[in-house]
Amino acid sequence: MSKILDATCQGGVVTVDEVPVPGTRILSKGTGQSEGVLLVQGRKKTYVPKAAPDLEATLDRLIAALDKAVTALNQTASALQTLDTSGFLIAADMGVPSPPQVASNISQIQSAASDISTAKGDLETLKGNLI
Amino acid sequence: MRVTCRHGHYAFFPRDSSEIGAFSNLFAEELARVEDYYTFSFLKDAEKYSLEAKPYLGLPALVTFEGNPWDVMRENGFVYSVGLKLLVPKETITSTVGVSRVGYYSIVDRPLIQAGARNASGQQILSFDGEFTLSSRQLKLTEFSYE
């Protein structure tokens, strides 16, 4: 049997109801501030942190930034594609647009956007798995 | 009625409900039901853990510990004072008790032993198990230990 109590930890000091609990084994670096639970079994004391709020916030910012990057890259690729395929009329060609010149480069931009989108998905999964 | 004291925590095991009422009248103290035993009302809400420096039944706990209430009291050096109806440090108990061997039992010179009471050598009785006979108001100990 063990007792579970809400606790906080900062600078290696675990606290329950604002009272320090010395001699607690901390299952994290214990340097940043965190919320978690204190498990007490007999004389053994163990602190288990919940998901670090700063880690979750950092992941949120990273995901938002990657989202912006994907959108920008796709818009860039689309704009370039429009320019590349719009061509210009050549009277000598009876109005047939010139062929695309940079299709390969545009394709690489689109591929990069796809890879970033995949990485963004991995980060969202990681965030969802935080305990 | 069987009476036990484990590290200063009292538990009573009546054979029928009338024994609880009779005991309460005799000692002018209500007993409360906890799980499968009765105990003094003050001990009814004894937690199964203590946090160092936080109050445990009114006394600042000396250690962080999880376990049955009597184990928590043992680790913190606390006993229940029958006279004061409070938890006290065991060192503060200075009363004495006389224990005599009679056949298979030990007889004490009072109806109930105050946990922490001392023998002639100063040793404290903190745990005992016995049978309290209401009609004779006598406690026969089947076992006890000095700590």
Side-chain angles (χ1 to χ4, degrees):
Chain A
M1 189 189 305
S2 57
K3 184 71 182 179
I4 302 173
L5 301 164
D6 288 331
T8 58
C9 177
Q10 183 165 20
V13 177
V14 176
T15 306
V16 175
D17 291 339
E18 299 179 355
V19 176
V21 184
T24 300
R25 180 180 169 217
I26 301 172
L27 295 185
S28 70
K29 279 192 174 180
T31 49
Q33 182 165 19
S34 67
E35 293 180 356
V37 293
L38 174 70
L39 304 179
V40 186
Q41 185 176 32
R43 281 199 178 236
K44 292 181 184 175
K45 296 155 284 188
T46 307
Y47 173 76
V48 181
K50 295 176 189 172
D54 57 344
L55 176 59
E56 193 170 1
T58 300
L59 284 174
D60 275 338
R61 288 196 298 272
L62 199 52
I63 289 168
L66 289 176
D67 206 35
K68 280 187 181 176
V70 168
T71 301
L73 283 173
N74 283 332
Q75 285 174 340
T76 302
S78 179
L80 286 174
Q81 204 165 44
T82 300
L83 287 172
D84 198 39
T85 54
S86 65
F88 46 86
L89 294 177
I90 302 177
D93 289 335
M94 301 299 285
V96 176
S98 58
Q101 301 294 312
V102 293
S104 173
N105 292 357
I106 292 171
S107 175
Q108 286 183 7
I109 293 174
Q110 289 170 323
S111 178
S114 176
D115 288 347
I116 293 172
S117 190
T118 300
K120 190 194 79 158
D122 290 342
L123 289 176
E124 283 169 339
T125 300
L126 177 64
K127 180 188 154 194
N129 289 340
L130 285 179
I131 56 170
Chain B
M1 175 169 70
R2 182 184 171 210
V3 179
T4 67
C5 177
R6 289 169 283 197
H7 309 297
H9 180 282
Y10 291 83
F12 303 89
F13 300 85
R15 287 179 182 77
D16 62 72
S17 57
S18 66
E19 290 188 321
I20 290 296
F23 185 93
S24 294
N25 288 337
L26 181 63
F27 287 92
E29 168 114 40
E30 291 298 317
L31 297 182
R33 176 77 179 264
V34 177
E35 296 176 4
D36 63 342
Y37 61 90
Y38 286 80
T39 188
F40 292 112
S41 297
F42 183 85
L43 296 174
K44 180 172 82 77
D45 295 323
E47 293 277 11
K48 292 186 176 181
Y49 74 100
S50 64
L51 283 175
E52 185 180 333
K54 289 209 75 177
Y56 185 83
L57 291 179
L59 287 181
L62 302 180
V63 297
T64 297
F65 184 84
E66 173 273 336
N68 289 312
W70 43 93
D71 293 322
V72 175
M73 288 169 62
R74 179 196 65 224
E75 293 292 315
N76 284 281
F78 298 156
V79 297
Y80 177 71
S81 167
V82 179
L84 296 176
K85 297 183 171 52
L86 290 173
L87 210 64
V88 299
K90 65 179 181 181
E91 295 79 18
T92 64
I93 303 297
T94 57
S95 58
T96 58
V97 62
V99 181
S100 307
R101 188 77 184 171
V102 178
Y104 296 110
Y105 302 98
S106 294
I107 304 292
V108 293
D109 56 4
R110 61 205 60 205
L112 190 64
I113 298 177
Q114 165 58 53
R118 300 166 188 270
N119 65 4
S121 304
Q123 293 172 300
Q124 291 185 287
I125 296 179
L126 289 167
S127 297
F128 63 83
D129 196 336
E131 189 71 26
F132 182 75
T133 305
L134 282 157
S135 57
S136 61
R137 299 187 184 186
Q138 186 177 57
L139 181 63
K140 289 182 184 177
L141 300 180
T142 52
E143 64 178 86
F144 62 94
S145 61
Y146 297 108
E147 296 179 31

